[in-house]
Amino acid sequence: MPVAGVRRALRESVSGLPRAFWWLWLSTLVNRLGAFVATFMALYLTLDRGYSASYAGLVAALHGLGGVISSLGAGVMTDRLGRRPTLLVSQTATALSVALLGFMRDPVAIAAVAFLVGMASNASRPAVQAMMADIVRPEDRVRAFSLNYWAINLGFAISSAGAGFIAEVSYLAGFLIEAGMTLVCAVLVFVKLPESRPGEDVAGPSGEKDAVSMWTVVRDGRYMSVVGLSFLIALVFQQGYLGLPVAMGEAGFSPADFGMAIAVNGVLIVVLQLPVTRFIDRRDPRQLLIASSLLAGYGFGLTAFADSVAVFALTVCVWTLAEIVNAPTQTGLVVALSPVHGRGRYQGMYTMSWAVAALVAPLMSGFVIDHWGAAWLWGMCAVVGTVVGLGYALLMRRMPEEGAGTVVPRAAEAAPEVRAS
C-alpha cells in the first residue's frame, strides 16, 4: 500500500474520537507498559524465592479469585460513585499492593497480598469500559474498543520483552516499576479525565431513569446469555497460555519453542488490529461473533494435528484472528445491551465472566490433558467454539435491530457529554 494510503487508513482509524478517549487510551497503554509482575511472577516464586510450582499455581489462583470477587463490586462502585473515583481507587490500591508484594517473604503473606493485587487491578476494568461507552459516540464504539485492545496488547508485548531484562537485575525493581507506572495512570486520570457518568437528567433506554441493581442484571436473560457465551469462548482463548505450553512440553518442544509460537499472537494483534477494525467496523455483529467463535474453536482444534513449531504458529494465527474480531465486537454488544445508568454493573458482570474463566481454564486443561491427552482438549475447544457460534446465531436472531444489527444502545441514545467533576 502506498504511503499516502497508509496515512489515510491510519487517519480513518483514529479520527473523530473525543480527547477524553485518548487520555483514557494513554492511561491504558501506560498501565500495560508497566505490567511486569504478571509476566515473571511464577519465575519469581519458583526460582528466586524457591517455592514449588504448586505454590506458584496457588498464588496465581488466588490472584484470579481476587479479580472475580472485585468485578461485581467495582461495577457497583462505577455506577454509584462514578467512573473517575473508581479508577482512582483501583489504580492507587493496585500501586500500593504491588509495591507491598515485592517486599513480602512469608508464603502466607505473599498469597494474601497477591489476592489483594488481583482485586485491585481487576476493579478498574468495568470503570474503563463504562467511561469509554459514555464518551464515545455509539457508531464509533467498536473502533474505540479495538484501539483500546490494541493499546493493551502493544503495552503487554513491550512489557513482556522488558520483564526478562528487569528480572535479571532485580525482581524487586519490577514490582516497584509496575507500582510507579500504575501511579502515573492514576495521575493521568486525576488531571485529565473528567467524570463521564450520565447525570440524573439523562434518560435510559426506555425513556425512564429506572434504578439498576445487580438483581436487574441477573434477571436480564438476554444479557446473561451473552455473559454465558463470553465465559465459554474465554475458556477457549485461555488455552493459548495454559493448555498450549503444557501440550507442547509433553510433545517434546522446549519453552523457547512455545515462546516462538505464542509470540505470533502479540505480533499479529499489534500489526492487524487496526486494519481488521477498519474492515469489521459497522459490519453485522451477528456474522462477526459467529465467525470469530468458529475460528477460535477450530483454530485451537487444529492444534491436535500440529507436529512442528511452524504448524503450532499457524494455529496461533487462526485463533488470534478470531481474538482480534471477537474482542471489540463482543464488548460493543455488551454496551449495546446495558442501560445507561447500569453500565458499571453490566460491565462488572461481563468482566467477571472472563475472571471466572481464568480460574476454571487451568483446572479444565490440566484435568483433560492428564486423563485423556491433549488431543481431547483441542477437540473440546472445537466443540465449545461451535456451541458458542450456534448460541450467538440463536440469541441474536431474536434481538431487535438496534441491539444486534448495529451494536448501538437499545434506545440508540447519543453519548452524553462529559461533565467536569
Side-chain angles (χ1 to χ4, degrees):
M1 182 183 291
V3 175
V6 174
R7 289 177 178 173
R8 183 173 62 253
L10 182 60
R11 185 168 59 251
E12 290 174 357
S13 297
V14 303
S15 63
L17 295 170
R19 180 177 298 179
F21 165 79
W22 289 111
W23 285 116
L24 187 60
W25 181 90
L26 180 60
S27 173
T28 298
L29 179 61
V30 171
N31 183 274
R32 299 310 298 174
L33 285 172
F36 301 114
V37 173
T39 303
F40 63 61
M41 190 65 184
L43 293 175
Y44 166 70
L45 292 175
T46 55
L47 298 182
D48 189 67
R49 307 301 330 156
Y51 294 113
S52 66
S54 297
Y55 175 76
L58 173 64
V59 172
L62 287 172
H63 182 276
L65 179 61
V68 171
I69 293 173
S70 70
S71 298
L72 300 183
V76 174
M77 283 180 61
T78 297
D79 284 337
R80 287 189 176 179
L81 300 181
R83 286 64 161 135
R84 187 169 178 263
T86 303
L87 279 173
L88 289 171
V89 170
S90 170
Q91 291 169 345
T92 303
T94 300
L96 294 175
S97 57
V98 166
L100 181 63
L101 182 59
F103 292 98
M104 293 296 101
R105 295 295 179 266
D106 180 76
V108 175
I110 291 174
V113 178
F115 173 77
L116 295 178
V117 171
M119 287 189 67
S121 60
N122 202 57
S124 64
R125 294 179 182 178
V128 168
Q129 292 169 340
M131 178 175 278
M132 204 166 293
D134 295 338
I135 63 182
V136 175
R137 295 180 303 174
E139 60 268 26
D140 291 330
R141 284 178 185 153
V142 170
R143 183 159 56 99
F145 286 128
S146 290
L147 287 166
N148 191 66
Y149 189 66
W150 182 77
I152 290 172
N153 284 279
L154 176 62
F156 184 74
I158 295 173
S159 68
S160 296
F165 295 104
I166 293 173
E168 288 184 1
V169 177
S170 168
Y171 282 103
L172 178 59
F175 286 99
L176 296 180
I177 291 173
E178 177 164 343
M181 297 284 274
T182 307
L183 279 180
V184 170
C185 295
V187 172
L188 279 174
V189 170
F190 181 76
V191 174
K192 293 295 184 179
L193 283 175
E195 177 57 63
S196 68
R197 182 178 56 165
E200 293 300 320
D201 56 329
V202 177
S206 64
E208 300 176 357
K209 297 179 280 295
D210 300 325
V212 178
S213 65
M214 287 308 305
W215 180 237
T216 307
V217 182
V218 173
R219 289 188 303 170
D220 190 336
R222 182 173 59 179
Y223 181 79
M224 291 304 296
S225 297
V226 171
V227 170
L229 294 174
S230 167
F231 167 74
L232 291 176
I233 203 64
L235 285 178
V236 175
F237 282 126
Q238 288 285 334
Q239 299 313 317
Y241 310 96
L242 300 168
L244 183 59
V246 174
M248 289 185 69
E250 289 194 347
F253 293 93
S254 69
D257 292 331
F258 167 71
M260 291 176 61
I262 199 63
V264 174
N265 174 257
V267 171
L268 283 182
I269 290 176
V270 171
V271 173
L272 295 182
Q273 185 71 61
L274 296 185
V276 170
T277 296
R278 292 184 66 244
F279 175 77
I280 69 175
D281 195 23
R282 294 176 174 82
R283 293 183 184 270
D284 188 351
R286 292 183 179 99
Q287 298 175 5
L288 295 175
L289 288 170
I290 293 169
S292 63
S293 300
L294 294 176
L295 271 178
Y298 289 101
F300 278 100
L302 289 172
T303 310
F305 304 100
D307 57 1
S308 68
V309 175
V311 179
F312 277 113
L314 181 61
T315 66
V316 173
C317 290
V318 177
W319 59 259
T320 296
L321 182 59
E323 185 181 356
I324 290 171
V325 174
N326 180 272
T329 308
Q330 189 165 250
T331 307
L333 177 62
V334 168
V335 173
L337 297 178
S338 306
V340 175
H341 294 282
R343 280 179 181 151
R345 290 174 172 85
Y346 274 67
Q347 290 288 351
M349 182 64 74
Y350 172 65
T351 300
M352 190 183 74
S353 70
W354 282 82
V356 173
L359 275 180
V360 174
L363 302 176
M364 181 187 80
S365 59
F367 180 86
V368 173
I369 291 174
D370 285 344
H371 288 78
W372 300 313
W376 275 89
L377 177 65
W378 308 130
M380 289 175 63
C381 286
V383 171
V384 172
T386 303
V387 169
V388 174
L390 291 173
Y392 273 121
L394 293 173
L395 175 67
M396 300 189 74
R397 186 176 62 181
R398 301 194 303 269
M399 282 188 183
E401 264 320 290
E402 64 268 21
T406 56
V407 191
V408 298
R410 284 175 285 182
E413 86 283 1
E417 292 295 322
V418 179
R419 295 183 289 109
S421 59

